[in-house]
Amino acid sequence: MNKTKTEGGEFRYRKTENIKKIEFLVLKKRRRLKNIQLNYTHHITTTLVKAKPTYVVMEDLNTSGMLKNRKLSKAIQQQTFHEFKRQMTYKCAWQGIELIVVDRFYPSSKKCSRCGHVKDRLSLSERTYRCEVCGLQMDRDLNASINLKQYAESMM
């Protein structure tokens, strides 16, 4: 960038034509990536709704709290959870599918899907859920999905 001196003595930067071209190309690439991501979100939500389930269960995640984790914040920002939830809401309404949003404090990952025991602590690194009471061992996400299904069935 070229520097030009103003009357006050300070320097002001001026953008060259090459820098303007590069900035335009960067904006174009970002717009393209955003459109690809939005198209993917539309595709996934449409596929889920076209399966014609009776209900869909979603967790209301504390994304603002999750963004405070420096290791996960960039990955979470790129997922656009709000847009996914918005699309699922209107697409379920169109198809007459009930959308059940579970409270963010419901212990879906900490609760045993067999006996109902709730763990006090469950770290993110523990990918396998192990119940101390009944001895159940399964994938943490599978256990959470079973708990969410049981929650929805208890609501109906």
Side-chain angles (χ1 to χ4, degrees):
M1 283 195 252
N2 295 334
K3 288 183 183 180
T4 57
K5 197 169 186 179
T6 59
E7 290 179 19
E10 73 265 0
F11 287 100
R12 182 189 275 163
Y13 290 98
R14 211 171 17 128
K15 290 183 182 178
T16 62
E17 290 301 314
N18 283 340
I19 290 174
K20 289 178 186 177
K21 282 185 218 173
I22 291 171
E23 283 180 343
F24 177 73
L25 291 174
V26 168
L27 285 174
K28 219 170 145 180
K29 289 287 182 190
R30 284 185 180 162
R31 187 180 315 125
R32 177 163 161 65
L33 289 173
K34 186 69 176 172
N35 287 336
I36 289 170
Q37 182 182 24
L38 188 62
N39 183 39
Y40 179 74
T41 305
H42 271 293
H43 181 72
I44 291 299
T45 54
T46 303
T47 305
L48 288 172
V49 170
K50 278 188 176 179
K52 300 263 188 204
T54 311
Y55 56 86
V56 175
V57 185
M58 275 183 147
E59 279 186 296
D60 182 26
L61 297 174
N62 181 13
T63 51
S64 59
M66 293 165 76
L67 289 174
K68 292 177 184 174
N69 184 340
R70 291 183 321 215
K71 295 177 182 176
L72 295 176
S73 63
K74 188 172 183 179
I76 290 169
Q77 284 175 346
Q78 292 174 347
Q79 296 305 313
T80 62
F81 290 135
H82 178 73
E83 180 64 20
F84 184 84
K85 182 180 176 184
R86 186 190 71 78
Q87 287 183 21
M88 282 301 292
T89 302
Y90 85 80
K91 288 180 183 183
C92 284
W94 271 357
Q95 297 294 328
I97 299 169
E98 184 179 1
L99 179 68
I100 301 168
V101 180
V102 179
D103 184 43
R104 67 179 59 178
F105 299 110
Y106 180 73
S108 61
S109 296
K110 294 180 180 181
K111 185 177 178 182
C112 177
S113 58
R114 186 188 295 162
C115 70
H117 172 73
V118 179
K119 280 188 170 188
D120 293 333
R121 297 193 139 267
L122 184 67
S123 68
L124 224 75
S125 62
E126 290 181 55
R127 299 311 307 162
T128 304
Y129 180 83
R130 290 179 182 87
C131 181
E132 296 95 21
V133 177
C134 68
L136 175 73
Q137 280 191 334
M138 68 168 49
D139 183 62
R140 169 193 180 131
D141 297 330
L142 178 61
N143 182 55
S145 65
I146 293 169
N147 284 329
L148 291 174
K149 182 181 178 188
Q150 290 171 353
Y151 177 85
E153 289 171 350
S154 71
M155 296 294 290
M156 299 186 121

